[in-house]
Amino acid sequence: MLQRGHAYPNSFTLAFVLKACAVVVAFKEGLQIHSHVFRHGLDLSPFVQTGLLNFYAKCEEIRDARRVFDEIPERNLIAWSAMISGYARIGMVNEGLGLFREMQKVGIRPDEVTMVSIISACAKAGALDLGRWVHAFIEKNEIKLDVELSTALVDMYAKCGCIERARELFDVMPDRDTKAWSSMIVGLAIHGLAEDALAYFRRMEESKVKPNHVTFIGVLSACVHSGLVYEGKKYWLSMCQCKIEPSMEHYGCMVDLLCRASRIEEACEFVEAMPISPNSIIWRTLLVGCKNKGLLEKGEFVAERLLEVEPLNAENHVLLSNLYASGLRWDKVSYVRKRMKDNGVKAIPGCSSIEVDGFLHEFVMGDESHPEAKEIREVLMDVHRQVHRAGHEPWTSAVLHDVGEEEKVSALFEHSERLAIAFGLLKTRAPMAIRVVKNLRVCGDCHEVTKIISKLYSREIIVRDRVRFHRFVNGSCSCKDYW
DNA sequence: ATAGGGTTAG
């Protein structure tokens, strides 16, 4: 259009082109459009402004997005929503919530699109109390529960450990599309509820909604967490029949499926046969499998591949070191530690956080400053003993056939330390850990269980005080200040 | 004729 000089692009043209750049994350092209906008003085159109804002947000260039946002003289609902969504997308939860509060202060009423970003920010933060508050806000303000917002709520409740609440919401949805079904199936899968996840998948098929690649990630990971090797392979084939090209994540599920079932050799062969080059996660999954089975040589080979792909990640070196330690090869252990030092690779202690009753508990490996550190360690030891008494040494799928549903879930963890680390490092694993504790009959009510979980969460904990947490809820301090 | 939203392996 520009070369042929047929017509000058106007604000409509540029808004469309910016949308295209945002959709395919074409950063360089978008920058050119931005300069075009600037040169031709088209930056006064609100459609072009939000187009630019959304483009930067989708490219995860949040500072540029914010600059565009700050320069908009009259910010409307769309601009606020786009900015909040940008923060939520990259996990800057506090900033997103802060803007949500600010927009209400200046008298802009959020709609269902705004609320989707807010709810998804809560899901990412694992902030159940806040999520419930926002849900109540939605109902009080009679904001429409369309399929997107319902899906966001289902996802939020599932990620925050309330799988039953998620299921209730899902079951009353009038229309469910692929993403709605996927979020329900993934939610059940991360709770270790494989049977339910697979039952929902069958219902999805019956209702003629087509599964996509994310649905199959849910289905496959459900199989992984229940040791269903045969079923996992079956769904892999049916996925291929659906003409869904397996992605790295799907390969990851299969490798994990085989490793957790102690089929390390088969997992290695599977990786060898992959048509795409395995990423660090695939190699690391294999390495963890080797470590758990004490396969020194195989583990060494896998670790070399892993370190080729990702040499600067301390976790990889530590894993290799732990593999040697499990085989009492202390000479090799000190060699790995020396290599780390020589290459300037530093181990950073793992950390995580969970919100319970308005308190934000923060967990750092090796930290002992929590006032209840002693009691927490006792609870941890108790779970350790109970899991061990149930005989959950590195488990196999064969074992799973012999044990009842109750032990099935706890069998996911070889010992309580693994459990603590599992949900200390990965928030989405918390729900699964909750089920383990439930099955161990420690407690009943969901939130009650969450409290206990918070005590088990990691080695030990720093508790932030209530005042600081309130600042977090109100969004009046930025993420950086907070941490 | 134009704008903002949900699901993703370890």
Side-chain angles (χ1 to χ4, degrees), chain A residues 325 367 401:
Chain A
D367 185 274
H401 287 297

Side-chain angles (χ1 to χ4, degrees), chain A residues 254-272:
Chain A
M254 294 308 281
V255 174
D256 198 27
L257 179 72
L258 296 168
C259 281
R260 284 184 195 245
S262 299
R263 302 191 187 183
I264 311 295
E265 190 61 46
E266 202 178 335
C268 288
E269 284 163 13
F270 185 82
V271 171
E272 292 295 325

Side-chain angles (χ1 to χ4, degrees), chain A residues 142-199:
Chain A
E142 295 176 345
I143 292 169
K144 205 174 103 210
L145 268 188
D146 59 14
V147 64
E148 286 90 351
L149 186 50
S150 300
T151 303
L153 282 166
V154 167
D155 178 55
M156 186 273 290
Y157 279 113
K159 294 255 168 68
C160 291
C162 288
I163 191 63
E164 289 312 324
R165 193 78 189 88
R167 199 199 300 245
E168 280 166 24
L169 277 167
F170 180 84
D171 286 343
V172 298
M173 281 174 72
D175 300 296
R176 308 179 189 98
D177 61 7
T178 301
K179 287 180 182 176
W181 282 104
S182 301
S183 67
M184 191 67 243
I185 290 168
V186 168
L188 291 163
I190 63 177
H191 280 253
L193 299 166
E195 298 291 321
D196 297 275
L198 299 176

Side-chain angles (χ1 to χ4, degrees), chain A residues 258-442:
Chain A
L258 296 168
C259 281
R260 284 184 195 245
S262 299
R263 302 191 187 183
I264 311 295
E265 190 61 46
E266 202 178 335
C268 288
E269 284 163 13
F270 185 82
V271 171
E272 292 295 325
M274 277 173 61
I276 48 177
S277 185
N279 68 3
S280 60
I281 297 173
I282 303 272
W283 290 121
R284 198 154 47 236
T285 306
L286 264 184
L287 181 53
V288 169
C290 294
K291 193 193 69 146
N292 290 342
K293 295 300 294 178
L295 299 173
L296 232 64
E297 275 180 30
K298 183 130 277 179
E300 258 177 338
F301 173 82
V302 171
E304 287 315 312
R305 303 287 83 72
L306 173 59
L307 291 173
E308 279 167 19
V309 181
E310 203 183 58
L312 298 179
N313 184 351
E315 196 186 337
N316 302 338
H317 296 270
V318 172
L319 261 176
L320 178 59
S321 165
N322 289 349
L323 170 71
Y324 286 135
S326 71
L328 306 177
R329 293 295 306 269
W330 305 111
D331 52 327
K332 296 256 189 180
V333 169
S334 52
Y335 170 71
V336 174
R337 296 287 168 172
K338 183 177 179 299
R339 183 158 74 160
M340 272 178 83
K341 216 173 170 185
D342 293 346
N343 297 332
V345 182
K346 275 207 188 76
I348 308 159
C351 67
S352 186
S353 61
I354 191 171
E355 167 237 286
V356 180
D357 281 354
F359 285 87
L360 189 69
H361 298 256
E362 193 181 69
F363 307 87
V364 181
M365 284 288 273
D367 185 274
E368 297 276 345
S369 63
H370 189 284
E372 292 179 277
K374 199 163 158 269
E375 290 85 348
I376 292 166
R377 189 170 288 284
E378 272 166 23
V379 176
L380 199 55
M381 287 309 291
D382 189 44
V383 174
H384 182 94
R385 278 190 294 271
Q386 291 196 50
V387 174
H388 257 276
R389 206 175 305 139
H392 299 311
E393 289 303 322
W395 55 282
T396 64
S397 59
V399 173
L400 286 176
H401 287 297
D402 296 333
V403 297
E405 170 70 17
E406 193 169 289
E407 271 111 340
K408 228 183 215 176
V409 184
S410 22
L412 290 167
F413 302 94
E414 283 119 45
H415 47 69
S416 62
E417 193 177 9
R418 176 89 185 273
L419 173 141
I421 293 165
F423 60 81
L425 294 182
L426 250 192
K427 215 156 264 142
T428 52
R429 286 291 165 272
M432 205 150 77
I434 289 169
R435 279 215 20 107
V436 175
V437 174
K438 264 188 179 168
N439 288 338
L440 291 167
R441 286 187 284 272
V442 173

